[in-house]
Amino acid sequence: MKIKLLGVPLDLGANRRGVDMGPSAIRSAGLSERLQNIGHEVIDMGDLTVIAPEVQTIEDPKLKYLPEITKTATQLANSVTELLSENDFPLVLGGDHSIAIGTVAGVAAFLKPQNKRVGVIWIDAHGDMNTPETTPSGNIHGMPFAVCLGKGVRELTQVAGNFQKVRPQDAVLVGARNLDAQEQRLIRESGITVFTMEDIDRRGIFEVMAEALEITNLHTEALHVSLDMDALDPQEAPGVGTAVRGGLTYREAHTAMEMIAASKQLGLLEVVEVNPILDIRNTTAEVAAELVESALGKRII
Ligand SMILES: [Mn+2]
């Protein structure tokens, strides 16, 4: 497979500096070499340009840094559409999770002219389903899943075209364990499928992922996996923007990725929220690189 790596050093969607260094940390963990070693061709396209928060002002406290995030999402969506139309596999490195607005819009815009849909597996401790009305923080990285489903401000929902990027019946949230009060209601009403950590405890990751893959592949042409590293337990991945105890173990995360690889449906992949400032000797970036390897076909034997 010809993989094109794209870094998005954006931290404007989060309230803490550090995730802007995520792409660099994941590269330092040897991502390209790892993928070449399992037989892929890897071309690093470098990073998109993002303007630092220090030289910007917050115009709307309910939608912090909206203009710059919209600009970055639009650029990223265009890049993703272009890579897909050249038959390349886009591998997007964040950055905070607001970048998913661009990634998902890019694949949806690519599929739309063919009347095809994208399936999304969102692996995350959080729901990322807030709107400007419900957000407790005004940080846009708490909103991207809602935006992908067509909920939120027009600037964001209309990135790469005025249409709903993902249908709720094609969308699954895996690993949730920390939802804001009003967000719980939005998620219940959204029509997506949610597998919380409780479901994973009860049923096991294998059964949960098998069902997640079945749902997201049913009516779609390609699968997008949006991996927020905070889905993992902080013991495995301490360097994340918003750590929550009780997450996926190292092996559960790998099993999920190995099943994604085995499904042969993956059309693109993104990894977000690695924060090197909070990390311990680049552990989280290394785990991120290992999980990408598994998702792209690395096998134990
Ligand atoms: Mn997230």
Side-chain angles (χ1 to χ4, degrees), residues 99-135:
I99 68 165
I101 295 167
T103 314
V104 172
V107 59
F110 170 72
L111 294 173
K112 192 174 163 53
Q114 316 163 43
N115 255 323
K116 289 174 176 161
R117 285 148 59 172
V118 61
V120 173
I121 300 183
W122 197 279
I123 307 178
D124 206 310
H126 308 91
D128 295 353
M129 196 72 87
N130 274 298
T131 64
E133 293 74 39
T134 67
T135 174

Side-chain angles (χ1 to χ4, degrees), residues 97 122-128 141 144 228 230 272-273:
H97 216 159
W122 197 279
I123 307 178
D124 206 310
H126 308 91
D128 295 353
H141 77 154
D228 190 323
D230 71 22
V272 299
E273 299 282 352

Side-chain angles (χ1 to χ4, degrees), residues 39-289:
H40 295 300
E41 185 186 345
V42 185
I43 298 167
D44 196 327
M45 314 279 289
D47 288 344
L48 292 185
T49 305
V50 181
I51 297 169
E54 285 78 1
V55 292
Q56 298 183 59
T57 48
I58 294 173
E59 288 165 25
D60 183 348
K62 287 285 177 192
L63 286 157
K64 292 176 187 166
Y65 305 109
L66 176 64
E68 186 64 22
I69 289 173
T70 306
K71 202 178 114 202
T72 304
T74 306
Q75 267 182 53
L76 175 56
N78 291 338
S79 301
V80 166
T81 305
E82 200 180 309
L83 293 179
L84 290 168
S85 56
E86 287 163 3
N87 227 355
D88 297 328
F89 182 94
L91 174 53
V92 179
L93 308 178
D96 73 65
H97 216 159
S98 69
I99 68 165
I101 295 167
T103 314
V104 172
V107 59
F110 170 72
L111 294 173
K112 192 174 163 53
Q114 316 163 43
N115 255 323
K116 289 174 176 161
R117 285 148 59 172
V118 61
V120 173
I121 300 183
W122 197 279
I123 307 178
D124 206 310
H126 308 91
D128 295 353
M129 196 72 87
N130 274 298
T131 64
E133 293 74 39
T134 67
T135 174
S137 65
N139 294 324
I140 293 178
H141 77 154
M143 309 179 189
F145 207 2
V147 170
C148 294
L149 296 162
K151 304 255 192 299
V153 278
R154 283 179 39 225
E155 285 90 333
L156 297 176
T157 57
Q158 295 187 0
V159 166
N162 183 16
F163 66 102
Q164 187 182 355
K165 306 303 183 303
V166 182
R167 305 273 183 96
Q169 58 267 43
D170 303 330
V172 175
L173 172 62
V174 175
R177 57 191 182 277
N178 185 9
L179 307 175
D180 299 319
Q182 293 193 68
E183 193 188 20
Q184 290 178 337
R185 181 180 51 81
L186 292 181
I187 291 173
R188 280 197 302 266
E189 291 169 2
S190 69
I192 69 162
T193 303
V194 183
F195 295 109
T196 65
M197 283 312 299
E198 191 187 344
D199 295 311
I200 295 168
D201 292 341
R202 283 168 185 248
R203 301 177 57 191
I205 191 71
F206 186 85
E207 208 181 294
V208 162
M209 282 304 298
E211 200 177 317
L213 286 162
E214 200 181 301
I215 293 166
T216 50
N217 290 336
L218 199 57
H219 302 291
T220 65
E221 174 68 14
L223 172 66
H224 172 55
V225 170
S226 196
L227 174 63
D228 190 323
M229 286 302 289
D230 71 22
L232 278 92
D233 193 274
Q235 287 184 344
E236 320 280 4
V240 294
T242 13
V244 189
R245 271 198 286 247
L248 297 176
T249 65
Y250 181 78
R251 270 312 311 166
E252 282 173 335
H254 272 287
T255 300
M257 295 303 131
E258 287 156 3
M259 291 177 73
I260 287 162
S263 79
K264 304 207 181 297
Q265 298 293 320
L266 193 63
L268 69 168
L269 174 65
E270 79 191 322
V271 188
V272 299
E273 299 282 352
V274 170
N275 188 333
I277 290 177
L278 304 174
D279 206 1
I280 300 163
R281 291 181 177 268
N282 218 29
T283 309
T284 308
E286 283 187 13
V287 174

